[in-house]
Amino acid sequence: MKAKIKYRVVPKLPSRLKTLNRLAFNLCFSWKSDIQILFKRMDPGQWDACGHNPVLMLGLISQERLDELAHDQGFLAQLERVGEDLERYLSQPRIQSIEYCDGVPFKVAYFSAEFGLVGCLPIYSGGLGILAGDHLKSASDLNVPLVGIGLLYQDGYFSQYLSSDGWQMETYPVNDFSSMPLTLMKDDEGQPLTISVRLKEQSVDILIWRISVGRVSLYMLDSNIDSNPPEFREITGQLYGGDRELRLRQEIILGIGGIRALKVLNIEPTVIHMNEGHSAFSALERINILRKENGLSFDEAREIVMATTVFTTHTPVPAGNDTFDPHMVQTYFEEYAKELGINFKVLLGYGRLDPQDSDESFGMTTLALRLSAHTNGVSRLHGKVSQNMWQKVWRKHPVEDVPIDYITNGIHVPTWISKEMEALLYRYLGPDWAEDPDNKKVWDHIEQIPNAELWRTHERCREHLIGFTRRHLASQLKNRGASIREIQVASETLTPDALTIGFARRFATYKRATLLFRDPDRLERILNHPKYPVQIIIAGKAHPQDNEGKAFIRDIIHFTRERQLQGRIVFLEDYNFPVGQALVSGTDIWLNTPRRPLEACGTSGMKALANGSLNLSVLDGWWDEGYHSDFGWAIGHGEIYKDHEAQDNIESHELYNLLEERVIPLFYQHGRDGIPRGWVEKMKAGLKHLVPIFNAHRMVQEYVNRYYQPCSRRYNSLCRNNFSGAKDLSIWRQKLMTNWHKLEVLEVTSDDAREKPVGETFKIETKIKMETLVPEDLTVEAYYGLLDQHGDFSERNTKTLQVVENNNGIYTFKGDIACNNTGNLGLTVRIMPSHERLENHFVMGLVTWA
């Protein structure tokens, strides 16, 4: 039975409480504790029951209670103060907005398939979404002119529960958008604002919703509307669900639909930032619009799009990069390629490592790489791994020259810090730490916190975590139909003063959740030590189709039961935003055991760090560049093994050694005042030296300085004077592509001796035959560095050579190389397209070597 008429009932707020609506619909409540405290004061039980969702709470709280609050002078005073603080944040930012770059509008559109912003908006699955959410929050704090684009999933990601045997089961709760902090966008007539995207021969209508994230707007696309047939309504039904064709449809809606949404919202970005390859079709749609509206050719439009696109790749695992069968792509893009003005086979080539291989799948990461001027990994090590993964896109370059840089991820500190730690930092660091967390001078004041006060604060956080864990366990058992006795035991599990290890992440097999369990007898002795007990809290989800990951969870459950360790090891079901916040705020040790180098970054350790927890981790992801013995412990020394079984044995043994010989003794080494001074000194060192680096403010500022502003300048340069810059660049590119094969390095010589003292210079001369090209088209470089025992470059440097002579199309270039280091060095000559004309002179894939 379908309803004939649909309508919505909204809370009737007394005029004195109208500010509550404003507070409820801005996600500032997710990181500003004074807003959370205000809503909790209204009805503590209701606040917990509604999952800390202020919009839902306003719909559930009784009218009598609202009327009562409207006459509560204490509450009204608090409401006024909190409301004024929000207005001040929104209208009077501490940092001046970068609204213009070189006199033209500056705007970033940040695309992501998922956004993890707050627990009551379950439209994320894990690290990628949490990172995207933190990116938006820090952009808000930094007042960066940025908007987000994503998909609004009706079911979101799955909820997890375990069977009696410990096997992961999934349910998919339906999101009720009417009770969530989001707003449907409407046109001037009050009708829902829509866009449409054609899939094969059918048109799909898409709604646009807005989520206010502080000063930043996030626009979410929704295909679940009555005008669409069922197979199109389900496109935004489930995050990472369905088959390959559904995934392709989702990525078409995100990329192409996202650009069309920006258009209908009258938002003209100067930069597109693609967070992972899911939104790579956005580049094609930008080309499409530039062609239609400005009469540009595909090549001319591509110059603008490429120069103003930033692409962040997140996964070092090939399976994590979406690829599609070429025949499936053809059914969706053959006609679209005609709109773009290119042959469909050319379009396929943009998504292939080898454009000539007709059997190769179409890759979204490859498409993004080929249409972006700037590409980065998410940690220093991941940048190197990505260079190796994607060298085939730049097959003529050595792997070290592959143009993939890195910007290490960070966390939005105010979101992930506990209320107890927040209060402590306000007291000793002052009010600036929350909006200026990347200021090292602010964190220098950590030294002023008395050891006893920092330790007592952390102990309270651990006590809160134990209380949270007991309640969560009791709820799990109650839902499973457990006995009163079992529930009672669960409500008394763990010990508030024992060393507590946290392990929470996606249960992908390369994260090795069972490494700690390889020697059960030894682990049992560690956990049950009569004087120095240890306890472990574990959480995490396996992908619904990952049976190996599910087996890891089951093995942990079985081990816990068989060894009678329920009071020492706890598995929390349904790892989500609230569970993650509780775990990172109260654990003493944050354990991470990925198989190096498969952890791209791993920001959960940063969240624990900001709460004073110490990291015990494999040197992978961010810990590879953040580790120092003053801050925590490293498992191994950065080795990479071919024999995984041997690796697991070696590293599990080292993990046990670290726990027994260094970690546990230091934790329980208390002075007369009961304070473990050595442990607290490590806590302080991590807070002081690492938090100002591994936070999202530093990360977003790096994107602004290194990518967003240069891209906006490039946008202005290419678009001015009726796109003359783009047209000239397209002609120049075509000239190089057509004539590059005629380049020839005739000789490389030097009149100098082959042995030079340190501090002198080595002279080099090269003659190059150019024919139709001229020196202004090229960058001619000396490519030099130390050689290894095989005669290969172990390091490389470049020095631009200058043209000194033209003899009938044969040009002579000269230069000097400084001899700064001793050793055996080598030298060759490399010719690249001119870096003066290009944002990135690797993007054309052209190079000639001597």
Side-chain angles (χ1 to χ4, degrees):
M1 183 70 68
K2 294 286 186 180
K4 292 290 185 182
I5 300 174
K6 295 181 180 180
Y7 60 99
R8 182 182 176 191
V9 178
V10 297
K12 183 181 179 182
L13 290 176
S15 59
R16 286 182 164 188
L17 303 183
K18 291 295 184 185
T19 303
L20 287 172
N21 212 47
R22 173 87 157 148
L23 294 169
F25 278 89
N26 193 304
L27 264 57
C28 275
F29 72 77
S30 69
W31 74 89
K32 291 185 178 293
S33 60
D34 56 347
I35 303 177
Q36 299 171 28
I37 292 168
L38 179 77
F39 278 98
K40 184 173 183 177
R41 177 176 176 176
M42 295 171 67
D43 187 331
Q46 194 72 266
W47 177 244
D48 290 337
C50 71
H52 299 178
N53 178 350
V55 175
L56 177 58
M57 182 169 179
L58 290 180
L60 294 178
I61 196 168
S62 69
Q63 196 64 46
E64 290 77 13
R65 179 56 178 158
L66 291 174
D67 292 337
E68 181 181 326
L69 290 169
H71 295 87
D72 183 333
Q73 295 305 314
F75 180 82
L76 292 174
Q78 184 182 5
L79 175 61
E80 182 179 8
R81 184 174 63 255
V82 172
E84 288 176 351
D85 285 345
L86 177 63
E87 291 305 319
R88 190 180 303 113
Y89 174 83
L90 296 176
S91 61
Q92 301 174 24
R94 295 174 64 251
I95 301 171
Q96 186 63 39
S97 177
I98 316 163
E99 295 181 359
Y100 292 90
C101 182
D102 293 349
V104 297
F106 171 75
K107 194 79 169 183
V108 181
Y110 182 89
F111 283 68
S112 183
E114 52 174 301
F115 287 90
L117 293 154
V118 66
C120 64
L121 271 173
I123 50 175
Y124 63 95
S125 71
L128 179 70
I130 298 296
L131 183 277
D134 283 7
H135 194 108
L136 265 57
K137 292 174 185 178
S138 282
S140 171
D141 287 345
L142 292 169
N143 208 18
V144 176
L146 179 147
V147 298
I149 297 289
L151 299 179
L152 188 61
Y153 302 99
Q154 189 68 64
D155 294 344
Y157 205 50
F158 70 89
S159 292
Q160 173 201 55
Y161 69 96
L162 302 183
S163 71
S164 58
D165 187 47
W167 191 257
Q168 174 182 293
M169 309 295 286
E170 301 91 22
T171 61
Y172 292 86
V174 176
N175 288 327
D176 179 7
F177 301 153
S178 66
S179 61
M180 292 179 169
L182 43 82
T183 305
L184 182 64
M185 299 300 293
K186 297 182 179 181
D187 60 23
D188 294 338
E189 282 73 43
Q191 297 301 310
L193 195 63
T194 62
I195 58 167
S196 63
V197 174
R198 293 194 71 78
L199 296 179
K200 298 182 180 178
E201 296 302 315
Q202 300 183 67
S203 181
V204 182
D205 295 327
I206 301 163
L207 294 172
I208 306 170
W209 299 77
R210 184 183 70 225
I211 301 172
S212 295
V213 188
R215 304 180 185 108
V216 166
S217 291
L218 168 60
Y219 295 101
M220 307 295 283
L221 309 180
D222 173 18
S223 70
N224 186 18
I225 52 180
D226 293 342
S227 59
N228 291 327
E231 66 269 23
F232 291 158
R233 294 185 64 172
E234 70 178 18
I235 293 174
T236 57
Q238 194 178 105
L239 173 60
Y240 303 145
D243 57 15
R244 300 305 302 163
E245 185 165 15
L246 178 61
R247 178 69 68 88
L248 178 61
R249 289 174 174 179
Q250 287 182 333
E251 297 184 355
I252 291 171
I253 297 299
L254 176 61
I256 295 176
I259 294 297
R260 293 181 184 178
L262 291 171
K263 190 72 179 172
V264 78
L265 291 165
N266 294 315
I267 298 171
E268 184 176 350
T270 56
V271 185
I272 296 292
H273 186 169
M274 299 186 296
N275 189 43
E276 197 54 281
H278 307 115
S279 57
F281 292 134
S282 62
L284 297 180
E285 181 61 13
R286 290 179 75 204
I287 292 172
N288 192 20
I289 290 176
L290 283 166
R291 277 176 44 77
K292 290 179 176 178
E293 295 187 352
N294 302 285
L296 301 180
S297 68
F298 176 88
D299 291 341
E300 292 164 349
R302 182 195 57 203
E303 297 299 343
I304 298 171
V305 170
M306 185 181 297
T308 59
T309 300
V310 179
F311 170 50
T312 299
T313 178
H314 282 264
T315 175
V317 183
N321 296 271
D322 281 345
T323 59
F324 298 102
D325 180 87
H327 299 294
M328 182 190 297
V329 176
Q330 184 174 9
T331 62
Y332 285 88
F333 281 92
E334 189 166 34
E335 291 301 315
Y336 188 80
K338 295 176 183 177
E339 289 185 45
L340 294 172
I342 57 174
N343 186 282
F344 174 69
K345 290 184 178 179
V346 173
L347 189 151
L348 281 179
Y350 276 96
R352 286 170 165 161
L353 296 174
D354 180 1
Q356 307 304 318
D357 183 358
S358 59
D359 295 324
E360 184 183 337
S361 297
F362 182 88
M364 297 298 286
T365 300
T366 310
L367 177 64
L369 289 169
R370 292 193 185 279
L371 292 175
S372 303
H374 301 285
T375 299
N376 68 280
V378 291
S379 69
R380 181 176 62 196
L381 180 59
H382 180 232
K384 296 177 181 177
V385 171
S386 298
Q387 287 179 312
N388 279 282
M389 280 185 67
W390 303 108
Q391 186 191 10
K392 289 183 179 179
V393 177
W394 297 274
R395 58 185 65 241
K396 295 181 180 179
H397 293 279
V399 66
E400 297 83 3
D401 289 341
V402 169
I404 300 178
D405 207 338
Y406 75 94
I407 292 181
T408 303
N409 283 344
I411 63 161
H412 184 252
V413 177
T415 292
W416 295 102
I417 208 162
S418 69
K419 291 180 176 60
E420 292 78 14
M421 185 64 76
E422 177 187 52
L424 184 69
L425 295 182
Y426 271 117
R427 192 154 61 248
Y428 287 96
L429 274 61
D432 288 343
W433 75 267
E435 282 197 59
D436 201 12
D438 55 340
N439 187 333
K440 293 183 180 181
K441 292 182 179 179
V442 171
W443 292 92
D444 285 342
H445 294 292
I446 285 290
E447 298 294 347
Q448 297 178 11
I449 303 176
N451 287 349
E453 196 163 350
L454 178 57
W455 182 244
R456 300 304 180 209
T457 299
H458 180 67
E459 285 190 312
R460 287 195 298 274
C461 292
R462 191 192 315 117
E463 289 168 1
H464 291 165
L465 170 60
I466 300 307
F468 173 90
T469 301
R470 289 170 173 175
R471 292 189 300 273
H472 201 89
L473 276 176
S475 177
Q476 287 177 198
L477 291 170
K478 187 176 181 180
N479 292 337
R480 206 178 295 156
S483 67
I484 295 175
R485 172 62 183 159
E486 289 176 300
I487 296 172
Q488 180 65 31
V489 170
S491 64
E492 298 173 357
T493 193
L494 303 181
T495 306
D497 56 357
L499 172 61
T500 303
I501 298 174
F503 182 95
R505 52 196 31 87
R506 186 164 51 90
F507 263 65
T509 50
Y510 74 85
K511 294 180 183 284
R512 299 191 298 175
T514 56
L515 189 70
L516 186 61
F517 299 86
R518 286 186 72 84
D519 188 338
D521 293 334
R522 191 172 181 185
L523 178 59
E524 188 171 358
R525 289 196 300 272
I526 291 172
L527 297 179
N528 287 328
H529 193 285
K531 193 174 180 181
Y532 305 130
V534 177
Q535 56 198 12
I536 307 170
I537 305 176
I538 302 172
K541 296 177 178 178
H543 187 279
Q545 298 173 4
D546 182 6
N547 287 329
E548 284 188 87
K550 290 182 178 182
F552 275 12
I553 296 173
R554 183 191 58 195
D555 291 346
I556 291 171
I557 299 298
H558 283 196
F559 172 82
T560 304
R561 292 172 180 170
E562 291 165 4
R563 298 277 174 157
Q564 297 296 305
L565 291 172
Q566 288 94 332
R568 287 281 173 242
I569 303 177
V570 167
F571 187 94
L572 296 182
E573 295 178 8
D574 202 22
Y575 180 40
N576 56 21
F577 209 98
V579 172
Q581 284 181 311
L583 280 168
V584 298
S585 68
T587 51
D588 301 298
I589 286 290
W590 195 256
L591 179 64
N592 192 21
T593 54
R595 193 181 305 284
R596 177 185 165 108
L598 300 180
E599 181 84 282
C601 186
T603 58
S604 62
M606 302 177 193
K607 301 175 181 104
L609 166 75
N611 285 283
S613 181
L614 303 184
N615 278 268
L616 170 58
S617 174
V618 170
L619 289 172
D620 200 4
W622 79 280
W623 193 235
D624 181 64
E625 59 197 87
Y627 166 72
H628 188 279
S629 58
D630 289 348
F631 313 142
W633 295 272
I635 302 169
H637 301 279
E639 303 91 346
I640 296 177
Y641 296 78
K642 292 183 179 179
D643 185 338
H644 290 172
E645 183 67 20
Q647 177 184 9
D648 292 350
N649 285 330
I650 292 169
E651 292 185 344
S652 64
H653 184 73
E654 181 165 3
L655 172 56
Y656 295 133
N657 288 344
L658 284 169
L659 287 171
E660 291 174 331
E661 298 169 11
R662 297 171 64 183
V663 177
I664 298 171
L666 187 67
F667 180 84
Y668 285 105
Q669 187 179 341
H670 290 197
R672 293 184 192 176
D673 56 1
I675 308 300
R677 296 189 179 279
W679 191 277
V680 173
E681 288 305 317
K682 281 185 177 289
M683 292 172 64
K684 282 188 171 182
L687 290 166
K688 177 180 177 180
H689 296 288
L690 296 184
V691 175
I693 297 173
F694 296 101
N695 68 77
H697 279 47
R698 184 273 311 155
M699 174 189 73
V700 171
Q701 194 64 62
E702 274 200 68
Y703 278 111
V704 170
N705 296 338
R706 291 171 53 188
Y707 297 153
Y708 295 167
Q709 287 186 319
C711 282
S712 291
R713 294 189 188 100
R714 194 70 172 150
Y715 182 83
N716 180 34
S717 170
L718 294 174
C719 293
R720 68 163 62 103
N721 299 327
N722 194 29
F723 302 95
S724 61
K727 294 174 182 176
D728 291 344
L729 185 57
S730 175
I731 294 170
W732 176 79
R733 181 192 290 263
Q734 190 60 43
K735 181 179 76 168
L736 260 67
M737 298 297 288
T738 303
N739 295 286
W740 191 263
H741 69 282
K742 300 176 184 177
L743 281 175
E744 184 179 357
V745 180
L746 299 178
E747 62 180 39
V748 179
T749 59
S750 174
D751 294 331
D752 289 344
R754 289 298 183 264
E755 192 169 281
K756 284 282 186 179
V758 169
E760 294 193 10
T761 59
F762 187 83
K763 298 183 183 301
I764 180 174
E765 177 179 310
T766 183
K767 295 186 183 297
I768 298 174
K769 182 179 179 181
M770 293 191 185
E771 293 192 10
T772 53
L773 299 179
V774 295
E776 291 76 17
D777 295 327
L778 313 170
T779 296
V780 179
E781 297 171 320
Y783 188 100
Y784 65 99
L786 289 170
L787 300 177
D788 62 19
Q789 68 272 24
H790 304 295
D792 298 323
F793 286 104
S794 60
E795 65 170 31
R796 85 277 188 271
N797 304 280
T798 58
K799 173 70 179 292
T800 301
L801 306 180
Q802 304 300 320
V803 64
V804 296
E805 184 182 355
N806 174 15
N807 185 8
N808 295 323
I810 297 176
Y811 291 83
T812 301
F813 290 78
K814 290 185 177 181
D816 296 332
I817 296 172
C819 298
N820 295 324
N821 300 301
T822 60
N824 294 318
L825 287 88
L827 179 149
T828 187
V829 168
R830 179 178 72 179
I831 309 175
M832 301 271 288
S834 169
H835 62 76
E836 299 297 329
R837 294 176 182 263
L838 297 168
E839 194 72 22
N840 175 345
H841 65 178
F842 290 89
V843 296
M844 294 179 65
L846 298 175
V847 62
T848 294
W849 296 90

